[in-house]
mmCIF file of all heavy atoms in Angstrom:
data_model
loop_
_atom_site.group_PDB
_atom_site.id
_atom_site.type_symbol
_atom_site.label_atom_id
_atom_site.label_comp_id
_atom_site.label_asym_id
_atom_site.label_seq_id
_atom_site.Cartn_x
_atom_site.Cartn_y
_atom_site.Cartn_z
ATOM 1 N N VAL A 681 21.675 45.966 -29.810
ATOM 2 C CA VAL A 681 21.896 47.386 -30.066
ATOM 3 C C VAL A 681 22.930 47.891 -29.060
ATOM 4 O O VAL A 681 22.740 47.776 -27.851
ATOM 5 C CB VAL A 681 20.586 48.194 -29.941
ATOM 6 C CG1 VAL A 681 20.846 49.670 -30.239
ATOM 7 C CG2 VAL A 681 19.519 47.633 -30.881
ATOM 8 N N ASN A 682 24.027 48.401 -29.598
ATOM 9 C CA ASN A 682 25.128 48.875 -28.738
ATOM 10 C C ASN A 682 25.548 47.807 -27.713
ATOM 11 O O ASN A 682 25.789 48.087 -26.542
ATOM 12 C CB ASN A 682 24.732 50.163 -28.010
ATOM 13 C CG ASN A 682 24.522 51.314 -28.969
ATOM 14 O OD1 ASN A 682 25.286 51.470 -29.942
ATOM 15 N ND2 ASN A 682 23.506 52.128 -28.722
ATOM 16 N N GLY A 683 25.569 46.563 -28.182
ATOM 17 C CA GLY A 683 26.049 45.469 -27.351
ATOM 18 C C GLY A 683 25.023 44.830 -26.447
ATOM 19 O O GLY A 683 25.322 43.832 -25.787
ATOM 20 N N LYS A 684 23.793 45.365 -26.378
ATOM 21 C CA LYS A 684 22.747 44.780 -25.521
ATOM 22 C C LYS A 684 21.682 44.109 -26.379
ATOM 23 O O LYS A 684 21.173 44.695 -27.335
ATOM 24 C CB LYS A 684 22.110 45.859 -24.647
ATOM 25 C CG LYS A 684 20.955 45.330 -23.788
ATOM 26 C CD LYS A 684 20.396 46.404 -22.872
ATOM 27 C CE LYS A 684 19.109 45.950 -22.177
ATOM 28 N NZ LYS A 684 19.205 44.630 -21.546
ATOM 29 N N ASP A 685 21.325 42.875 -26.007
ATOM 30 C CA ASP A 685 20.279 42.162 -26.732
ATOM 31 C C ASP A 685 18.954 42.909 -26.596
ATOM 32 O O ASP A 685 18.508 43.229 -25.487
ATOM 33 C CB ASP A 685 20.124 40.741 -26.186
ATOM 34 C CG ASP A 685 21.335 39.867 -26.480
ATOM 35 O OD1 ASP A 685 22.161 40.253 -27.333
ATOM 36 O OD2 ASP A 685 21.449 38.784 -25.861
ATOM 37 N N HIS A 686 18.331 43.167 -27.735
ATOM 38 C CA HIS A 686 17.103 43.966 -27.769
ATOM 39 C C HIS A 686 15.894 43.131 -28.201
ATOM 40 O O HIS A 686 14.790 43.314 -27.669
ATOM 41 C CB HIS A 686 17.294 45.141 -28.731
ATOM 42 C CG HIS A 686 16.051 45.945 -28.980
ATOM 43 N ND1 HIS A 686 15.497 46.773 -28.027
ATOM 44 C CD2 HIS A 686 15.238 46.036 -30.075
ATOM 45 C CE1 HIS A 686 14.407 47.346 -28.521
ATOM 46 N NE2 HIS A 686 14.227 46.909 -29.759
ATOM 47 N N ALA A 687 16.070 42.253 -29.183
ATOM 48 C CA ALA A 687 14.949 41.472 -29.715
ATOM 49 C C ALA A 687 15.484 40.166 -30.282
ATOM 50 O O ALA A 687 16.671 40.040 -30.593
ATOM 51 C CB ALA A 687 14.207 42.252 -30.798
ATOM 52 N N VAL A 688 14.581 39.192 -30.420
ATOM 53 C CA VAL A 688 14.934 37.933 -31.068
ATOM 54 C C VAL A 688 13.825 37.583 -32.057
ATOM 55 O O VAL A 688 12.640 37.636 -31.739
ATOM 56 C CB VAL A 688 15.153 36.797 -30.041
ATOM 57 C CG1 VAL A 688 13.919 36.554 -29.171
ATOM 58 C CG2 VAL A 688 15.584 35.511 -30.743
ATOM 59 N N PHE A 689 14.244 37.267 -33.273
ATOM 60 C CA PHE A 689 13.328 36.855 -34.338
ATOM 61 C C PHE A 689 13.372 35.327 -34.365
ATOM 62 O O PHE A 689 14.383 34.738 -34.754
ATOM 63 C CB PHE A 689 13.744 37.476 -35.667
ATOM 64 C CG PHE A 689 13.749 38.984 -35.624
ATOM 65 C CD1 PHE A 689 14.888 39.668 -35.209
ATOM 66 C CD2 PHE A 689 12.618 39.708 -35.965
ATOM 67 C CE1 PHE A 689 14.898 41.057 -35.148
ATOM 68 C CE2 PHE A 689 12.625 41.104 -35.896
ATOM 69 C CZ PHE A 689 13.767 41.773 -35.483
ATOM 70 N N THR A 690 12.298 34.716 -33.932
ATOM 71 C CA THR A 690 12.325 33.292 -33.596
ATOM 72 C C THR A 690 11.829 32.366 -34.699
ATOM 73 O O THR A 690 11.780 31.150 -34.503
ATOM 74 C CB THR A 690 11.499 33.047 -32.323
ATOM 75 O OG1 THR A 690 10.190 33.621 -32.491
ATOM 76 C CG2 THR A 690 12.178 33.673 -31.113
ATOM 77 N N GLY A 691 11.464 32.921 -35.855
ATOM 78 C CA GLY A 691 10.972 32.056 -36.924
ATOM 79 C C GLY A 691 9.800 31.231 -36.444
ATOM 80 O O GLY A 691 8.843 31.742 -35.863
ATOM 81 N N ASP A 692 9.879 29.902 -36.660
ATOM 82 C CA ASP A 692 8.822 29.002 -36.200
ATOM 83 C C ASP A 692 9.269 28.201 -34.978
ATOM 84 O O ASP A 692 8.685 27.159 -34.672
ATOM 85 C CB ASP A 692 8.432 28.033 -37.319
ATOM 86 C CG ASP A 692 7.614 28.692 -38.405
ATOM 87 O OD1 ASP A 692 7.590 29.932 -38.460
ATOM 88 O OD2 ASP A 692 7.000 27.972 -39.215
ATOM 89 N N THR A 693 10.292 28.681 -34.280
ATOM 90 C CA THR A 693 10.739 27.985 -33.079
ATOM 91 C C THR A 693 9.883 28.386 -31.880
ATOM 92 O O THR A 693 9.217 27.546 -31.274
ATOM 93 C CB THR A 693 12.220 28.270 -32.795
ATOM 94 O OG1 THR A 693 13.005 27.838 -33.909
ATOM 95 C CG2 THR A 693 12.692 27.530 -31.550
ATOM 96 N N LEU A 694 9.862 29.657 -31.556
ATOM 97 C CA LEU A 694 9.061 30.152 -30.429
ATOM 98 C C LEU A 694 7.994 31.097 -30.951
ATOM 99 O O LEU A 694 8.292 32.093 -31.615
ATOM 100 C CB LEU A 694 9.962 30.882 -29.422
ATOM 101 C CG LEU A 694 9.259 31.531 -28.224
ATOM 102 C CD1 LEU A 694 8.550 30.481 -27.371
ATOM 103 C CD2 LEU A 694 10.260 32.331 -27.391
ATOM 104 N N PHE A 695 6.746 30.770 -30.663
ATOM 105 C CA PHE A 695 5.624 31.636 -30.983
ATOM 106 C C PHE A 695 5.147 32.329 -29.707
ATOM 107 O O PHE A 695 5.614 32.022 -28.609
ATOM 108 C CB PHE A 695 4.467 30.831 -31.584
ATOM 109 C CG PHE A 695 4.790 30.156 -32.890
ATOM 110 C CD1 PHE A 695 4.512 28.810 -33.074
ATOM 111 C CD2 PHE A 695 5.356 30.865 -33.932
ATOM 112 C CE1 PHE A 695 4.783 28.182 -34.279
ATOM 113 C CE2 PHE A 695 5.640 30.251 -35.142
ATOM 114 C CZ PHE A 695 5.352 28.906 -35.321
ATOM 115 N N ILE A 696 4.190 33.218 -29.852
ATOM 116 C CA ILE A 696 3.562 33.819 -28.679
ATOM 117 C C ILE A 696 2.532 32.810 -28.178
ATOM 118 O O ILE A 696 1.544 32.533 -28.846
ATOM 119 C CB ILE A 696 2.893 35.168 -29.013
ATOM 120 C CG1 ILE A 696 3.835 36.053 -29.838
ATOM 121 C CG2 ILE A 696 2.438 35.853 -27.736
ATOM 122 C CD1 ILE A 696 5.194 36.277 -29.227
ATOM 123 N N GLY A 697 2.815 32.213 -27.008
ATOM 124 C CA GLY A 697 1.909 31.226 -26.438
ATOM 125 C C GLY A 697 2.143 29.795 -26.872
ATOM 126 O O GLY A 697 1.415 28.891 -26.452
ATOM 127 N N ASP A 698 3.151 29.547 -27.700
ATOM 128 C CA ASP A 698 3.331 28.200 -28.245
ATOM 129 C C ASP A 698 4.761 28.054 -28.759
ATOM 130 O O ASP A 698 5.556 29.013 -28.738
ATOM 131 C CB ASP A 698 2.339 27.972 -29.382
ATOM 132 C CG ASP A 698 2.087 26.501 -29.707
ATOM 133 O OD1 ASP A 698 2.703 25.633 -29.060
ATOM 134 O OD2 ASP A 698 1.273 26.223 -30.613
ATOM 135 N N VAL A 699 5.096 26.869 -29.244
ATOM 136 C CA VAL A 699 6.336 26.637 -29.989
ATOM 137 C C VAL A 699 5.973 25.912 -31.275
ATOM 138 O O VAL A 699 4.859 25.391 -31.425
ATOM 139 C CB VAL A 699 7.352 25.797 -29.177
ATOM 140 C CG1 VAL A 699 7.877 26.581 -27.987
ATOM 141 C CG2 VAL A 699 6.761 24.463 -28.745
ATOM 142 N N GLY A 700 6.886 25.871 -32.217
ATOM 143 C CA GLY A 700 6.605 25.270 -33.510
ATOM 144 C C GLY A 700 6.370 23.769 -33.427
ATOM 145 O O GLY A 700 7.003 23.066 -32.637
ATOM 146 N N ARG A 701 5.474 23.288 -34.259
ATOM 147 C CA ARG A 701 5.181 21.855 -34.281
ATOM 148 C C ARG A 701 6.393 21.080 -34.794
ATOM 149 O O ARG A 701 7.118 21.565 -35.671
ATOM 150 C CB ARG A 701 3.944 21.564 -35.133
ATOM 151 C CG ARG A 701 4.101 21.912 -36.601
ATOM 152 C CD ARG A 701 2.777 21.836 -37.355
ATOM 153 N NE ARG A 701 2.207 20.504 -37.321
ATOM 154 C CZ ARG A 701 0.998 20.211 -37.822
ATOM 155 N NH1 ARG A 701 0.266 21.175 -38.400
ATOM 156 N NH2 ARG A 701 0.531 18.986 -37.759
ATOM 157 N N PRO A 702 6.616 19.861 -34.315
ATOM 158 C CA PRO A 702 7.815 19.115 -34.678
ATOM 159 C C PRO A 702 7.585 17.999 -35.697
ATOM 160 O O PRO A 702 8.442 17.128 -35.854
ATOM 161 C CB PRO A 702 8.226 18.513 -33.329
ATOM 162 C CG PRO A 702 6.915 18.180 -32.690
ATOM 163 C CD PRO A 702 5.942 19.263 -33.142
ATOM 164 N N ASP A 703 6.443 18.027 -36.391
ATOM 165 C CA ASP A 703 6.078 16.867 -37.215
ATOM 166 C C ASP A 703 6.016 17.160 -38.712
ATOM 167 O O ASP A 703 5.344 16.439 -39.459
ATOM 168 C CB ASP A 703 4.724 16.314 -36.749
ATOM 169 C CG ASP A 703 3.611 17.350 -36.769
ATOM 170 O OD1 ASP A 703 3.910 18.552 -36.902
ATOM 171 O OD2 ASP A 703 2.433 16.963 -36.646
ATOM 172 N N LEU A 704 6.730 18.199 -39.159
ATOM 173 C CA LEU A 704 6.637 18.566 -40.575
ATOM 174 C C LEU A 704 7.846 18.134 -41.398
ATOM 175 O O LEU A 704 7.852 18.305 -42.613
ATOM 176 C CB LEU A 704 6.461 20.090 -40.723
ATOM 177 C CG LEU A 704 5.225 20.700 -40.071
ATOM 178 C CD1 LEU A 704 5.166 22.194 -40.360
ATOM 179 C CD2 LEU A 704 3.950 20.007 -40.542
ATOM 180 N N ARG A 705 8.867 17.585 -40.744
ATOM 181 C CA ARG A 705 10.091 17.306 -41.487
ATOM 182 C C ARG A 705 10.490 15.827 -41.439
ATOM 183 O O ARG A 705 11.664 15.489 -41.446
ATOM 184 C CB ARG A 705 11.208 18.197 -40.935
ATOM 185 C CG ARG A 705 11.025 19.672 -41.286
ATOM 186 C CD ARG A 705 11.202 19.943 -42.778
ATOM 187 N NE ARG A 705 12.566 19.719 -43.169
ATOM 188 C CZ ARG A 705 13.534 20.624 -43.053
ATOM 189 N NH1 ARG A 705 13.265 21.818 -42.560
ATOM 190 N NH2 ARG A 705 14.756 20.348 -43.419
ATOM 191 N N GLU A 706 9.497 14.976 -41.410
ATOM 192 C CA GLU A 706 9.786 13.547 -41.376
ATOM 193 C C GLU A 706 10.082 12.991 -42.768
ATOM 194 O O GLU A 706 10.712 11.937 -42.892
ATOM 195 C CB GLU A 706 8.615 12.796 -40.731
ATOM 196 C CG GLU A 706 8.425 13.172 -39.266
ATOM 197 C CD GLU A 706 7.342 12.388 -38.564
ATOM 198 O OE1 GLU A 706 6.233 12.278 -39.115
ATOM 199 O OE2 GLU A 706 7.608 11.898 -37.462
ATOM 200 N N ASN A 707 9.623 13.699 -43.806
ATOM 201 C CA ASN A 707 9.789 13.166 -45.163
ATOM 202 C C ASN A 707 10.317 14.170 -46.174
ATOM 203 O O ASN A 707 10.508 13.816 -47.340
ATOM 204 C CB ASN A 707 8.437 12.629 -45.670
ATOM 205 C CG ASN A 707 7.883 11.535 -44.795
ATOM 206 O OD1 ASN A 707 8.522 10.510 -44.604
ATOM 207 N ND2 ASN A 707 6.687 11.749 -44.245
ATOM 208 N N VAL A 708 10.556 15.425 -45.766
ATOM 209 C CA VAL A 708 10.971 16.444 -46.737
ATOM 210 C C VAL A 708 12.147 17.247 -46.200
ATOM 211 O O VAL A 708 12.419 17.256 -44.999
ATOM 212 C CB VAL A 708 9.816 17.406 -47.086
ATOM 213 C CG1 VAL A 708 8.700 16.679 -47.797
ATOM 214 C CG2 VAL A 708 9.284 18.108 -45.841
ATOM 215 N N GLY A 709 12.820 17.946 -47.122
ATOM 216 C CA GLY A 709 13.921 18.812 -46.728
ATOM 217 C C GLY A 709 15.272 18.131 -46.872
ATOM 218 O O GLY A 709 15.380 16.934 -47.114
ATOM 219 N N ASN A 710 16.306 18.927 -46.711
ATOM 220 C CA ASN A 710 17.664 18.396 -46.791
ATOM 221 C C ASN A 710 17.942 17.445 -45.635
ATOM 222 O O ASN A 710 18.580 16.412 -45.803
ATOM 223 C CB ASN A 710 18.668 19.554 -46.763
ATOM 224 C CG ASN A 710 20.094 19.095 -46.976
ATOM 225 O OD1 ASN A 710 20.385 18.466 -47.979
ATOM 226 N ND2 ASN A 710 20.967 19.392 -46.037
ATOM 227 N N LEU A 711 17.456 17.812 -44.438
ATOM 228 C CA LEU A 711 17.560 16.959 -43.267
ATOM 229 C C LEU A 711 16.160 16.544 -42.844
ATOM 230 O O LEU A 711 15.272 17.383 -42.736
ATOM 231 C CB LEU A 711 18.226 17.708 -42.102
ATOM 232 C CG LEU A 711 19.712 18.037 -42.224
ATOM 233 C CD1 LEU A 711 20.161 18.829 -41.007
ATOM 234 C CD2 LEU A 711 20.545 16.761 -42.360
ATOM 235 N N THR A 712 15.954 15.258 -42.649
ATOM 236 C CA THR A 712 14.670 14.789 -42.132
ATOM 237 C C THR A 712 14.876 14.300 -40.702
ATOM 238 O O THR A 712 15.976 13.904 -40.315
ATOM 239 C CB THR A 712 14.093 13.653 -42.990
ATOM 240 O OG1 THR A 712 15.034 12.571 -43.039
ATOM 241 C CG2 THR A 712 13.820 14.138 -44.409
ATOM 242 N N ALA A 713 13.815 14.363 -39.920
ATOM 243 C CA ALA A 713 13.899 13.931 -38.533
ATOM 244 C C ALA A 713 12.516 13.542 -38.042
ATOM 245 O O ALA A 713 11.517 14.139 -38.442
ATOM 246 C CB ALA A 713 14.472 15.044 -37.659
ATOM 247 N N GLN A 714 12.449 12.525 -37.203
ATOM 248 C CA GLN A 714 11.188 12.109 -36.629
ATOM 249 C C GLN A 714 10.688 13.140 -35.629
ATOM 250 O O GLN A 714 11.464 13.864 -35.006
ATOM 251 C CB GLN A 714 11.352 10.755 -35.951
ATOM 252 C CG GLN A 714 11.698 9.621 -36.915
ATOM 253 C CD GLN A 714 10.621 9.422 -37.983
ATOM 254 O OE1 GLN A 714 9.451 9.223 -37.650
ATOM 255 N NE2 GLN A 714 11.009 9.479 -39.240
ATOM 256 N N ARG A 715 9.386 13.188 -35.463
ATOM 257 C CA ARG A 715 8.783 14.215 -34.602
ATOM 258 C C ARG A 715 9.292 14.153 -33.164
ATOM 259 O O ARG A 715 9.509 15.189 -32.544
ATOM 260 C CB ARG A 715 7.264 14.121 -34.657
ATOM 261 C CG ARG A 715 6.670 12.822 -34.164
ATOM 262 C CD ARG A 715 5.189 12.730 -34.488
ATOM 263 N NE ARG A 715 4.995 12.641 -35.935
ATOM 264 C CZ ARG A 715 3.812 12.700 -36.533
ATOM 265 N NH1 ARG A 715 2.724 12.869 -35.821
ATOM 266 N NH2 ARG A 715 3.705 12.609 -37.848
ATOM 267 N N GLU A 716 9.514 12.954 -32.632
ATOM 268 C CA GLU A 716 9.995 12.876 -31.258
ATOM 269 C C GLU A 716 11.408 13.438 -31.141
ATOM 270 O O GLU A 716 11.728 14.144 -30.187
ATOM 271 C CB GLU A 716 9.971 11.428 -30.749
ATOM 272 C CG GLU A 716 10.462 11.316 -29.315
ATOM 273 C CD GLU A 716 10.324 9.928 -28.735
ATOM 274 O OE1 GLU A 716 9.350 9.231 -29.080
ATOM 275 O OE2 GLU A 716 11.187 9.542 -27.931
ATOM 276 N N GLN A 717 12.242 13.149 -32.145
ATOM 277 C CA GLN A 717 13.609 13.684 -32.139
ATOM 278 C C GLN A 717 13.591 15.207 -32.176
ATOM 279 O O GLN A 717 14.320 15.875 -31.430
ATOM 280 C CB GLN A 717 14.379 13.135 -33.340
ATOM 281 C CG GLN A 717 15.790 13.690 -33.481
ATOM 282 C CD GLN A 717 16.442 13.268 -34.792
ATOM 283 O OE1 GLN A 717 15.897 12.434 -35.525
ATOM 284 N NE2 GLN A 717 17.584 13.832 -35.096
ATOM 285 N N LEU A 718 12.742 15.768 -33.030
ATOM 286 C CA LEU A 718 12.665 17.224 -33.131
ATOM 287 C C LEU A 718 12.054 17.831 -31.865
ATOM 288 O O LEU A 718 12.472 18.912 -31.433
ATOM 289 C CB LEU A 718 11.853 17.630 -34.359
ATOM 290 C CG LEU A 718 12.603 17.539 -35.688
ATOM 291 C CD1 LEU A 718 11.668 17.812 -36.854
ATOM 292 C CD2 LEU A 718 13.776 18.511 -35.713
ATOM 293 N N ALA A 719 11.077 17.169 -31.280
ATOM 294 C CA ALA A 719 10.488 17.673 -30.039
ATOM 295 C C ALA A 719 11.543 17.755 -28.934
ATOM 296 O O ALA A 719 11.565 18.710 -28.147
ATOM 297 C CB ALA A 719 9.330 16.784 -29.605
ATOM 298 N N ARG A 720 12.429 16.784 -28.895
ATOM 299 C CA ARG A 720 13.510 16.818 -27.890
ATOM 300 C C ARG A 720 14.479 17.964 -28.189
ATOM 301 O O ARG A 720 14.969 18.638 -27.271
ATOM 302 C CB ARG A 720 14.236 15.471 -27.843
ATOM 303 C CG ARG A 720 13.362 14.347 -27.311
ATOM 304 C CD ARG A 720 14.107 13.056 -27.060
ATOM 305 N NE ARG A 720 13.167 12.025 -26.625
ATOM 306 C CZ ARG A 720 12.698 11.911 -25.385
ATOM 307 N NH1 ARG A 720 13.105 12.754 -24.451
ATOM 308 N NH2 ARG A 720 11.838 10.954 -25.066
ATOM 309 N N GLN A 721 14.744 18.195 -29.460
ATOM 310 C CA GLN A 721 15.596 19.327 -29.817
ATOM 311 C C GLN A 721 14.933 20.641 -29.440
ATOM 312 O O GLN A 721 15.604 21.583 -28.988
ATOM 313 C CB GLN A 721 15.910 19.283 -31.317
ATOM 314 C CG GLN A 721 16.814 18.128 -31.726
ATOM 315 C CD GLN A 721 17.084 18.105 -33.219
ATOM 316 O OE1 GLN A 721 16.492 18.859 -33.986
ATOM 317 N NE2 GLN A 721 17.977 17.218 -33.633
ATOM 318 N N MET A 722 13.616 20.711 -29.602
ATOM 319 C CA MET A 722 12.887 21.924 -29.226
ATOM 320 C C MET A 722 13.006 22.178 -27.725
ATOM 321 O O MET A 722 13.159 23.334 -27.284
ATOM 322 C CB MET A 722 11.417 21.813 -29.629
ATOM 323 C CG MET A 722 10.567 23.036 -29.281
ATOM 324 S SD MET A 722 11.039 24.508 -30.226
ATOM 325 C CE MET A 722 10.173 24.179 -31.776
#
């Protein structure tokens, strides 16, 4: 807002008290990735 960061909508990346699980995209989606690879990206 007026050039200053006010909020971030984090989807399933950052939760309150947690982060998103990394084991849901090993077999589905346009891009698949193993849980360890995604955990490192997280």
Side-chain angles (χ1 to χ4, degrees):
V681 181
N682 295 320
K684 177 177 171 49
D685 292 345
H686 173 71
V688 58
F689 300 88
T690 52
D692 286 16
T693 301
L694 177 62
F695 297 130
I696 313 306
D698 200 359
V699 292
R701 64 190 299 175
D703 56 347
L704 300 183
R705 290 292 293 276
E706 295 184 312
N707 301 301
V708 295
N710 186 57
L711 290 177
T712 58
Q714 295 300 305
R715 62 190 67 188
E716 180 174 326
Q717 177 188 352
L718 282 174
R720 293 189 183 280
Q721 291 179 352
M722 180 67 81

